Amino acid sequence: MTGGAPSLTGTLIRLKLALLRNGLRQSSGRRAAYVASVAVVLLIAALQLLGLILLHGNDHAATVGTVLTAVLALGWAVLPLFFPSGDETLDPTRLVMLPLRPDPLVRGLLVSSLIGIGPLFTLCLALGAAYAVARTGAAAAVAVLAVPLTVLTCVALARAVAAANIRLLTSRKGRDLAVLSGLVVAIGAQLVNFGAQRLGSAGGVAALDPVADVLRWVPPASAIAAVDATATGAYATAVAQLALCAAGLAGLLVIWRRALTRLMTSPDGSTLQAAEPSRRTRRTTGALRLLPSGRTGTVMERSLRYVWRDPKTKAAWITSLAIGLIVPVFNALQGTGSVYFACFAAGMLGIQMYNQFGQDTSAFWMVAMTIASRRDAYEELRARALALLVITLPYAALVTLVTTAMLGAWSDLPEVLGLSFALLGAMLATGAWSSARFPYSIPQEGYKNVAPGQAGLAWISIFGGMVAAALLCAPFLALTITLHATGADAWTWILLPVGTAYGAAVTLLGLRLAAPRTAARLPEILAAVSKG
């Protein structure tokens, strides 16, 4: 007589624990990182829980709890898009070859998803938010339902999003999206900072009351709002809000189930015929046809295609473009900015000139085969610098104009624009020299931007070059200070042509000095950028 089949839920729970245990066994560094992340998350969760407990009975407790729950749910919806490889069990395509029915699979994956740091953090926040508004016995009873509803809705939301987008997330475009997660963090940090300052100037948490009134009817925040409604005696409203959250959870489970069914029954790219060879043929089209002919145009096109196609290069460029605009604009919006913050754009984009050969990785050997003299090295570096200038020059000018317009400091426009161009030229010069002297490899997989053992080279290359660029800008800064100190403000307009000419001269000098070193160190550069 044979025994009953084991429960799929129990099997998936054991699988989740086995994946976690085996992952921690891979290396001591991974164990240390996991333990450190658990400690940090638990500390933040404990502080948030304590803060929400202290809000118990406060007039704004409902607003804080509702908004925090909604923001947490948004995080659960977004994070799978940027970190699809953070949890291997998020990929349901690993189970498509198994004879599993969707309903038991959804139940098992939902329960197994409750194991982890994220669900624990969510549970702590939901408990704190519910306790903060549970001022009566009836509200405490409703909180017993609201807390698990909140956690389950967040987990189901992440699973539904991951299942619906798993084909994208495991493709090249999906990996591009994951690499751009740093941009989201940078922008999010600026938005949080801006929002906090706006709250402080608008009367505190009370400014969030209109937002909370809307979020009370958005799952899973509606579950926490139901606890508050019960505490105030609005029982019909509480029932409606709880029912809305339960309906939202049921809807997410249905969407998740349909996504799993589609994944298990529909073909993917591996079962479809390859594209016709004629469709793979690409020619230079569009604006790229305007590039000069010869080696210069070829290198410029290659560099610009790297910006568009290579995930790491694209992430670095988009992050630099965003931060270069966010810093001056947000400071101007806060009323504490200076027009000189516009130079952030030139500084952030100038960094892209550093480690030029490392961006090619092991493919640099094909470039090295075309460099037989100092002249070849000079033309290679010059073309790469020109490719950067195609983007950086108009963008730096645009950011300067926007910042100047927001602050109304039109009289400072010539000197700030001249300083931006001088800074950009200095960074192009030091970046070219640094690329030849301190090259390092950029891993194509994962989130690391430096190969193991080359972190010191990266620090010297970037930060040493930035210090050198600042020193190169010293003569231009001295001229600017002299004009202001002597009261010759009417002559500050000359700083624009002077800064432009100075930046161009410094760039050409840097390229001339870097070319011989590049030609002489080709074997060392190739070995460095091919590491890892």
Side-chain angles (χ1 to χ4, degrees), residues 427-452:
M427 297 199 73
L428 290 178
T430 57
W433 190 87
S434 177
S435 297
R437 182 63 182 84
F438 302 109
Y440 58 91
S441 178
I442 302 177
Q444 293 301 294
E445 300 296 331
Y447 301 100
K448 293 182 178 180
N449 290 318
V450 182

Side-chain angles (χ1 to χ4, degrees), residues 241-252:
Q241 290 171 329
L242 270 181
L244 180 62
C245 188
L249 174 59
L252 288 172

Side-chain angles (χ1 to χ4, degrees), residues 67-403:
V67 173
L68 280 180
T69 304
V71 171
L72 182 67
L74 178 62
W76 275 95
V78 172
L79 286 181
L81 296 176
F82 294 103
F83 300 99
S85 59
D87 184 354
E88 292 175 313
T89 63
L90 280 174
D91 186 358
T93 58
R94 299 173 182 266
L95 307 174
V96 295
M97 299 301 294
L98 301 178
L100 302 174
R101 293 186 178 275
D103 289 334
L105 183 59
V106 167
R107 287 195 299 269
L109 288 175
L110 180 63
V111 175
S112 64
S113 298
L114 297 175
I115 302 172
I117 304 175
L120 178 60
F121 180 85
T122 305
L123 177 62
C124 292
L125 191 144
L127 284 172
Y131 178 80
V133 296
R135 299 183 296 274
T136 64
V142 172
V144 174
L145 295 175
V147 171
L149 261 180
T150 300
V151 177
L152 288 174
T153 302
C154 289
V155 173
L157 177 61
R159 284 288 181 173
V161 170
N165 296 278
I166 195 63
R167 297 292 192 204
L168 169 66
L169 298 178
T170 54
S171 65
R172 183 180 66 85
K173 291 183 178 179
R175 290 191 292 270
D176 291 356
L177 184 66
V179 172
L180 296 180
S181 57
L183 173 61
V184 175
V185 173
I187 296 177
Q190 290 291 336
L191 289 175
V192 170
N193 180 43
F194 179 66
Q197 294 196 14
R198 295 287 291 181
L199 281 178
S201 61
V205 181
L208 292 176
D209 288 342
V211 178
D213 291 339
V214 176
L215 295 178
R216 292 177 193 276
W217 297 97
V218 178
S222 60
I224 301 301
V227 180
D228 179 61
T230 304
T232 59
Y235 299 112
T237 301
V239 171
Q241 290 171 329
L242 270 181
L244 180 62
C245 188
L249 174 59
L252 288 172
L253 293 177
V254 170
I255 294 173
W256 185 10
R257 182 186 184 280
R258 290 180 178 177
L260 287 176
T261 302
R262 184 169 61 252
L263 285 171
M264 293 182 170
T265 57
S266 61
D268 60 5
S270 63
T271 60
L272 300 176
Q273 291 184 352
E276 295 295 329
S278 60
R279 297 186 61 185
R280 299 179 186 176
T281 303
R282 297 183 180 270
R283 294 184 176 90
T284 300
T285 58
L288 294 179
R289 290 182 297 181
L290 302 176
L291 297 177
S293 59
R295 183 189 185 105
T296 300
T298 302
V299 175
M300 290 180 66
E301 181 178 352
R302 185 214 313 146
S303 299
L304 293 173
R305 288 191 183 277
Y306 275 165
V307 174
W308 181 250
R309 293 181 177 180
D310 181 65
K312 290 293 182 70
T313 306
K314 182 190 296 185
W317 269 96
I318 294 181
T319 302
S320 297
L321 290 169
I323 296 179
L325 178 64
I326 287 173
V327 170
V329 168
F330 272 51
N331 278 278
L333 287 174
Q334 294 168 6
T336 60
S338 167
V339 69
Y340 291 98
F341 276 120
C343 295
F344 260 92
M348 292 299 301
L349 296 177
I351 293 176
Q352 304 309 315
M353 187 63 187
Y354 292 81
N355 196 35
Q356 276 291 305
F357 306 128
Q359 298 173 13
D360 299 341
T361 63
S362 57
F364 177 70
W365 72 270
M366 292 186 290
V367 177
M369 294 290 293
T370 67
I371 300 177
S373 64
R374 296 182 178 183
R375 181 65 184 177
D376 293 337
Y378 173 75
E379 291 180 351
E380 176 75 22
L381 290 170
R382 183 186 62 185
R384 291 178 182 242
L386 288 174
L388 265 70
L389 289 174
V390 169
I391 302 174
T392 55
L393 269 180
Y395 190 78
L398 176 62
V399 172
T400 304
L401 285 171
V402 170
T403 307

Side-chain angles (χ1 to χ4, degrees), residues 346 350 353 389 393 418-431 469 472-473 499-500 502-510:
M353 187 63 187
L389 289 174
L393 269 180
L419 178 58
S420 294
F421 291 160
L423 175 61
L424 181 58
M427 297 199 73
L428 290 178
T430 57
L472 286 176
C473 289
T500 304
Y502 184 78
V506 169
T507 300
L508 291 175
L509 178 61

